[in-house]
Amino acid sequence: PILAFRGIASASALQTPNCTVAMPIKVGFIVGKDTNLVEDPKFTTMGGDTSFLADLPDDWRVDPESHDYLKDCKPGTKGFAHCDVALAWWVHKHCPDIQIDIIGPADLTLQRLKSNDFNFSLGFNAVNLLVENNENTPKDMKALRTCGNIAPDWDFEQYILHKSNYMKACMANGVPMAPTIFSLKGKRSPDGLLQEIQERGWKTFVMKQSESGFSLGFLKLKVEDCETDPSILHNYFRDYAKCPEFVVQESIEGFTRNWETRCFWYNGEFLYAIANIAAVSSEDGAERIITGDDIPAEFLENAKRRPSSACPSCRSRAVAPCRWCWCAPTSGAPTARCTTRTSTGTQRRRLFS
């Protein structure tokens, strides 16, 4: 059989006139997570089984103090496995026809990526590189951009890296969204933004950035404070002048009281959900997470029926063009094995435009 991925083909068996030689598929897993523990009581209490990690090399466990892999720590340092490494090791233990290659951020090279049939970006990608922005960023970015065998592929990642792309696609397909202004580099000014916000009647708003993550650059502001002290927005524009776009939205106060429900789907079928109130949204600055039966039915059932639970390659209602789903063929025909996550927030009061 042949495994095909965006023009990359790998034979799991090499046939000659006289024999068939088994050849495993070589799959890279680009890792780097240090905040998603699997070897943790919270995971096992929920019924998680970590026994398959018993023979995981300690090199790929993370020191909770330095957040470094143990291979880069002093001998004797204790660490724990996170979800990206755990997933790679599970594949290693359960899929004998797949040869895994765990690639840490410091190991990322074009040659290493090309040595595999394809590579999954699990715990480290362009967002991490742009946030770190060190001397290795241009080289590493070029490796990801030119290797031709990462999943999700480079075009898809760039599409979601710039938030306005998928947000506009959602809007065009009727997905409810907070009133939004896209403030683009070269076409924006702090005074012009404040004027547009005032014209819309917003009282409170939030700012976030494309090419960013981890709530970096997130800001929640009151319009009256910006009117009283114009330097607030002027300083933000100065400090993040290189950012290609700011996403500015009317603040949804319901996010501080109501659960944001994240549903996970496989081929359009609901699997499970978690609900959270993010630290940047909560009144006391503490994140809250609940799962399973702890999620109030009102939030879960509404999240499950939202049109945002959509991907054309898994035969449900379309949010964005099929070509942006990395697992979908360019023909647009339905493809199996598509996993989708949707996040739904709730608000009861009227929103401005």
Side-chain angles (χ1 to χ4, degrees):
I2 299 294
L3 174 70
F5 176 77
R6 289 293 170 102
I8 307 298
S10 172
S12 59
L14 175 63
Q15 294 185 341
T16 67
N18 299 317
C19 66
T20 298
V21 181
M23 297 186 65
I25 300 166
K26 294 181 63 180
V27 180
F29 293 87
I30 306 172
V31 301
K33 285 187 175 294
D34 60 4
T35 57
N36 295 98
L37 272 176
V38 173
E39 291 180 312
D40 184 276
K42 287 184 289 187
F43 179 76
T44 53
T45 299
M46 294 169 57
D49 180 8
T50 60
S51 60
F52 70 95
L53 293 169
D55 57 350
L56 171 72
D58 273 345
D59 281 358
W60 291 111
R61 289 184 164 89
V62 176
D63 170 24
E65 297 296 326
S66 67
H67 298 277
D68 292 329
Y69 286 112
L70 296 190
K71 64 188 181 72
D72 300 317
C73 297
K74 294 180 179 179
T77 304
K78 301 296 182 181
F80 306 93
H82 290 257
C83 64
D84 49 357
V85 169
L87 191 153
W89 199 248
W90 190 95
V91 171
H92 167 70
K93 298 297 289 289
H94 293 83
C95 305
D97 57 339
I98 296 178
Q99 177 183 330
I100 71 165
D101 178 22
I102 300 178
I103 305 172
D107 310 317
L108 188 64
T109 66
L110 180 60
Q111 182 180 6
R112 181 76 171 266
L113 295 175
K114 282 184 170 290
S115 71
N116 296 318
D117 292 307
F118 61 91
N119 304 276
F120 287 113
S121 297
L122 291 184
F124 190 85
N125 58 15
V127 170
N128 301 85
L129 291 171
L130 290 165
V131 170
E132 290 182 354
N133 194 27
N134 58 31
E135 66 277 5
N136 294 320
T137 293
K139 173 181 65 68
D140 292 345
M141 194 73 80
K142 182 179 180 180
L144 292 174
R145 184 178 70 249
T146 61
C147 68
N149 63 349
I150 59 170
D153 70 23
W154 183 256
D155 288 343
F156 178 87
E157 185 167 335
Q158 291 303 297
Y159 181 78
I160 60 176
L161 189 60
H162 295 85
K163 294 180 172 64
S164 61
N165 289 331
Y166 64 82
M167 292 177 72
K168 289 178 180 178
C170 288
M171 293 174 184
N173 284 275
V175 178
M177 190 170 296
T180 303
I181 298 171
F182 298 110
S183 187
L184 305 180
K185 183 179 179 180
K187 299 180 180 180
R188 67 190 179 208
S189 70
D191 295 333
L193 175 62
L194 181 58
Q195 181 179 348
E196 186 171 356
I197 290 171
Q198 291 168 326
E199 291 172 351
R200 289 178 175 232
W202 300 358
K203 304 302 180 185
T204 309
F205 64 97
V206 297
M207 296 183 67
K208 60 188 89 171
Q209 303 173 14
S210 284
E211 295 190 352
S212 185
F214 321 107
S215 296
L216 298 176
F218 182 91
L219 201 61
K220 181 179 179 181
L221 298 168
K222 292 182 178 180
V223 174
E224 62 178 353
D225 290 340
C226 295
E227 292 170 338
T228 302
D229 183 4
S231 68
I232 297 174
L233 281 179
H234 281 263
N235 290 340
Y236 189 94
F237 273 61
R238 180 200 63 207
D239 294 343
Y240 300 106
K242 293 183 179 180
C243 180
E245 66 180 16
F246 302 147
V247 179
V248 189
Q249 295 182 303
E250 183 184 4
S251 178
I252 308 300
E253 295 305 322
F255 281 7
T256 66
R257 300 184 299 271
N258 303 324
W259 296 101
E260 177 183 354
T261 307
R262 303 179 182 184
C263 295
F264 292 79
W265 312 78
Y266 185 70
N267 291 350
E269 299 297 326
F270 174 77
L271 292 180
Y272 65 94
I274 64 172
N276 79 302
I277 296 177
V280 294
S281 298
S282 67
E283 294 180 346
D284 60 2
E287 183 179 30
R288 297 178 178 83
I289 300 175
I290 55 176
T291 61
D293 293 338
D294 292 334
I295 302 175
E298 176 189 7
F299 296 101
L300 178 59
E301 294 308 316
N302 277 286
K304 287 169 64 176
R305 68 183 179 86
R306 298 310 308 169
S308 55
S309 59
C311 173
S313 67
C314 52
R315 300 181 299 281
S316 43
R317 292 166 290 183
V319 164
C322 185
R323 63 195 181 97
W324 295 121
C325 179
W326 69 265
C327 65
T330 54
S331 65
T335 301
R337 299 178 300 279
C338 179
T339 302
T340 309
R341 191 198 88 184
T342 60
S343 298
T344 304
T346 56
Q347 169 69 16
R348 287 187 169 87
R349 73 168 177 83
R350 171 182 174 271
L351 296 175
F352 293 93
S353 61

